[in-house]
Amino acid sequence: MRALLINPPYQTITSNWGVGHQVPLGLLMVGGALLDAGHEVCLLDAEATGRSCAQVAEEVRRLGPDMVMTGHAGSTPAHPVCMDMFDAIRQSSPDVLRVYGGVFPTYHDEQVLRDHAAVDVIVRGEGEATIVALAEALTHGSGLATVVGTTVRGPDGVIRNPDRSAIADLDAYRTGWELIDDWDRYQCFGRGRAAIVQLSRGCPHRCTYCGQHGFWKRWRHRDPVALADEVERLHREHGVRFVTLADENPTTLKDVWLTFLDEMAARDVDVEFFATIRATDIVRDAGAIDTYRRAGLRYVLMGIDTTDPDVIEQIRKRSSTKDDLTACALLRELGIHPIIGHIVGLGDETWAGLRRASKALALYDGDYLNAMYAMPHSWTQFAHEQAGRAWVQPDQRLWDYRHQVLEEHHLRPWQLFAAVKWLELRFHLRWRRLRRLLLATDPIQRREAWWTAWHTGLVWLMEIVEFLWRASSRRVQHHL
Ligand code: B12
Ligand code: SF4
């Protein structure tokens, strides 16, 4: 079976002007499983190479695979682009099998197959075992109608095959790193070549606005020593110097997490890490917190989400303002950059509430603020709770946490946008933060800090340009 994996041409301000393009980990993991099962696999990264849908279709025609496969980490906003791309491929290569996977298609499988003739198969949930079973079924001509974990089109309509159970041993599969033909395309935080890896899948928590715990079914982890070996290999063989942990909750089991960090600390590899970690777990690890820095952890995103204790309760964050403050202080003492994830729109926003949030966020004294808008993804409890709330943004391309979707009662969209930009500006221009930036003595750290400040600023500015551009195009359309 000749399979072509395509990272779709979905472009974002955050990647193009901010952190940089990242390896398409989901596709590489699916690709690794196919390679080990003896199939021929190629990767076409249309996002990082800036190809259009027409150019992708032309490339597919030239390569002539049996099966093309796509999926994207930003699975909801990338969905319309994936569909445009499959439409173009269908026109130029009508016989190639088109397979679609990832979070959004998993939860909208039947609707996607009904609405888009260009999609043949949807792989639901984690893809490794299912894609191998699908390729086997195609190779042996046994038909698609029985492949567990897929949704397919049958003669009498859509067929939803049974769910596949979660992979029990994550180390049984490997990432197809050899599919990357140019490592220089993937860079992060100005540190040079970058990769993404997973120590674990899933999350034991149940925050109402997040659906990731349901997607992976249960929390599982890889062998932490094997992962450290893999990171070391990526560094020595491909010159990778920055690694993002894609885990929802890598710290779930303290001994597994600290074993991974100890292993990294014991190896002489110049690799820094980004990870998303709950404040409560950082506080739990206070006694061993030095290992975080020795292992190379450099940026930690904490989903502080809201500074309002009532909303913390309402979204079931199971955290507290006290833990959040302690966690930020612990990280900062070690020179690890706390990035504060803050969500607007979980409750009803008001000017007074946003002013309070701005003051409270400043108290955490984090280094970066990632302000996001609440998204009513259909597979979350939050979406059901907010069912009565109108949408101000029906365009799915903008359901990316960087654009407002849910209506606010007290603020019009331009007011909320202005408030969020003000929140970001005020946070990043705080004197304590600026002093750290200006007084950094280590030349490498200073260069990184300025790189990040510059790119954060560019994203901030480009989002304003984009907002104004959209507003003026809407006005022009209205007049026409
Ligand atoms: C790492 C990460 C990033 C990185 C790298 C993304 C990348 N290029 O890979 C960065 C920081 C760049 C990033 C950016 C964005 N991200 Co992001 N990101 C993540 C994160 C932390 C992990 C994603 C990941 O790699 N998971 C591990 C892989 C293995 O899982 P996977 O991709 O789902 O793949 C598996 C299955 O889904 C399936 N599968 C997937 N694709 C396919 C395809 C086929 C054919 C098959 C068969 C199977 C299959 O098989 C895979 C293996 O089992 C998640 C949060 C989380 N912890 O889940 C958010 C997350 C995925 N990101 C999200 C979003 C919205 C974005 C942005 C759009 C935000 C923005 N506005 O800029 C951008 C998109 C930019 C871009 N060009 O990628 C949302 C997506 C929400 C949704 N479901 O729609 C998430 C869930 C975070 C959240 N807040 O909820 N992200
Ligand atoms: S937001 Fe984070 S902690 Fe909460 S359920 Fe999702 S992944 Fe887990």
Side-chain angles (χ1 to χ4, degrees):
M1 173 74 42
R2 296 189 330 123
L4 176 63
L5 296 159
I6 312 178
N7 193 26
Y10 168 63
Q11 300 295 343
T12 55
I13 290 178
T14 40
S15 289
N16 290 334
W17 300 84
V19 282
H21 293 285
Q22 303 306 313
V23 295
L25 180 66
L27 294 178
L28 293 176
M29 287 187 150
V30 162
L34 280 174
L35 283 167
D36 286 354
H39 301 284
E40 209 181 298
V41 188
C42 283
L43 170 72
L44 173 62
D45 191 336
E47 177 199 318
T49 56
R51 282 179 167 88
S52 64
C53 289
Q55 285 168 329
V56 170
E58 177 50 32
E59 197 78 351
V60 172
R61 205 187 52 75
R62 194 179 66 76
L63 294 170
D66 303 308
M67 160 163 93
V68 289
M69 301 180 287
T70 202
H72 196 278
S75 68
T76 302
H79 171 68
V81 182
C82 292
M83 295 304 96
D84 291 350
M85 183 181 85
F86 270 162
D87 282 341
I89 294 172
R90 183 175 179 235
Q91 285 201 350
S92 59
S93 311
D95 296 331
V96 65
L97 188 84
R98 292 165 296 269
V99 184
Y100 187 27
V103 179
F104 179 86
T106 293
Y107 291 106
H108 294 90
D109 52 336
E110 298 188 19
Q111 185 197 341
V112 172
L113 283 182
R114 268 196 303 271
D115 295 351
H116 299 279
V119 183
D120 297 313
V121 181
I122 286 181
V123 169
R124 304 195 309 273
E126 53 194 347
E128 291 87 342
T130 308
I131 201 70
V132 171
L134 182 78
E136 299 279 288
L138 288 169
T139 311
H140 301 118
S142 52
L144 301 178
T146 54
V147 181
V148 173
T150 63
T151 308
V152 295
R153 209 176 277 104
D156 304 317
V158 171
I159 302 170
R160 193 163 206 275
N161 289 313
D163 284 344
R164 186 173 289 276
S165 42
I167 295 171
D169 174 14
L170 292 180
D171 290 300
Y173 293 97
R174 68 176 182 93
T175 307
W177 296 116
E178 65 267 49
L179 295 169
I180 294 183
D181 59 351
D182 181 359
W183 274 94
D184 284 333
R185 280 190 203 124
Y186 307 105
Q187 312 249 335
C188 202
F189 285 115
R191 275 279 297 176
R193 292 182 174 183
I196 308 180
V197 300
Q198 263 187 332
L199 171 63
S200 66
R201 288 181 173 176
C203 180
H205 301 280
R206 294 291 178 268
C207 307
T208 61
Y209 61 86
C210 170
Q212 287 301 109
H213 53 80
F215 181 78
W216 297 115
K217 296 189 169 129
R218 59 191 169 83
W219 191 84
R220 291 151 288 152
H221 68 89
R222 281 189 60 188
D223 172 1
V225 181
L227 181 63
D229 289 343
E230 186 170 347
V231 171
E232 185 172 359
R233 253 194 332 270
L234 285 170
H235 176 70
R236 301 211 189 284
E237 290 172 14
H238 302 291
V240 166
R241 297 186 64 230
F242 195 87
V243 170
T244 296
L245 286 179
D247 304 42
E248 284 77 12
N249 209 56
T251 47
T252 303
L253 289 184
K254 184 174 177 176
D255 59 333
V256 171
W257 173 236
L258 293 183
T259 303
F260 172 67
L261 294 184
D262 277 334
E263 281 291 327
M264 285 316 309
R267 291 155 202 247
D268 181 25
V269 285
D270 179 21
V271 172
E272 288 188 346
F273 290 90
F274 169 105
T276 306
I277 308 181
R278 284 174 58 88
T280 45
D281 288 354
I282 295 170
V283 174
R284 177 200 68 191
D285 293 347
I289 201 77
D290 185 49
T291 321
Y292 278 43
R293 184 66 192 122
R294 286 191 296 110
L297 202 59
R298 190 81 185 124
Y299 296 87
V300 170
L301 173 63
M302 280 182 289
I304 284 173
D305 301 343
T306 172
T307 52
D308 180 337
D310 289 342
V311 183
I312 294 186
E313 194 64 34
Q314 183 191 315
I315 60 173
R316 284 217 306 268
K317 190 74 203 173
R318 297 205 296 190
S319 180
S320 72
T321 316
K322 186 166 164 270
D323 283 338
D324 294 344
L325 285 163
T326 313
C328 279
L330 281 168
L331 295 178
R332 243 190 358 264
E333 271 166 32
L334 292 166
I336 299 174
H337 299 299
I339 306 179
I340 296 184
H342 178 69
I343 307 182
V344 290
L346 288 171
D348 225 343
E349 302 289 354
T350 58
W351 288 116
L354 286 162
R355 256 197 310 274
R356 263 198 310 277
S358 173
K359 280 203 189 113
L361 287 171
L363 285 182
Y364 293 110
D365 198 19
D367 284 331
Y368 301 96
L369 173 68
N370 182 21
M372 295 164 282
Y373 295 89
M375 285 299 121
H377 288 308
S378 63
W379 54 91
T380 61
Q381 185 183 329
F382 176 72
H384 297 287
E385 289 164 0
Q386 304 291 319
R389 217 161 139 190
W391 296 348
V392 295
Q393 186 50 265
D395 183 351
Q396 216 169 23
R397 285 164 213 258
L398 303 181
W399 283 44
D400 60 356
Y401 297 88
R402 310 295 307 179
H403 296 84
Q404 181 190 354
V405 168
L406 289 169
E407 187 183 43
E408 291 291 337
H409 288 119
H410 306 288
L411 298 172
R412 293 169 61 192
W414 72 264
Q415 291 175 319
L416 187 64
F417 178 79
V420 168
K421 288 291 143 207
W422 165 78
L423 207 68
E424 291 172 337
L425 193 67
R426 197 157 166 221
F427 183 91
H428 288 108
L429 292 185
R430 270 174 309 115
W431 172 238
R432 280 160 84 187
R433 181 183 176 272
L434 287 179
R435 202 176 47 197
R436 280 199 293 276
L437 187 66
L438 293 167
L439 300 183
T441 46
D442 179 287
I444 299 173
Q445 291 191 5
R446 197 171 51 230
R447 202 182 62 82
E448 259 180 70
W450 278 105
W451 187 97
T452 313
W454 169 242
H455 285 264
T456 313
L458 278 177
V459 169
W460 185 82
L461 201 64
M462 290 312 293
E463 288 186 340
I464 295 179
V465 170
E466 191 227 35
F467 184 87
L468 295 174
W469 179 79
R470 274 185 198 283
S472 64
S473 1
R474 261 199 315 271
R475 215 166 298 134
V476 170
Q477 274 170 10
H478 184 72
H479 285 300
L480 286 178

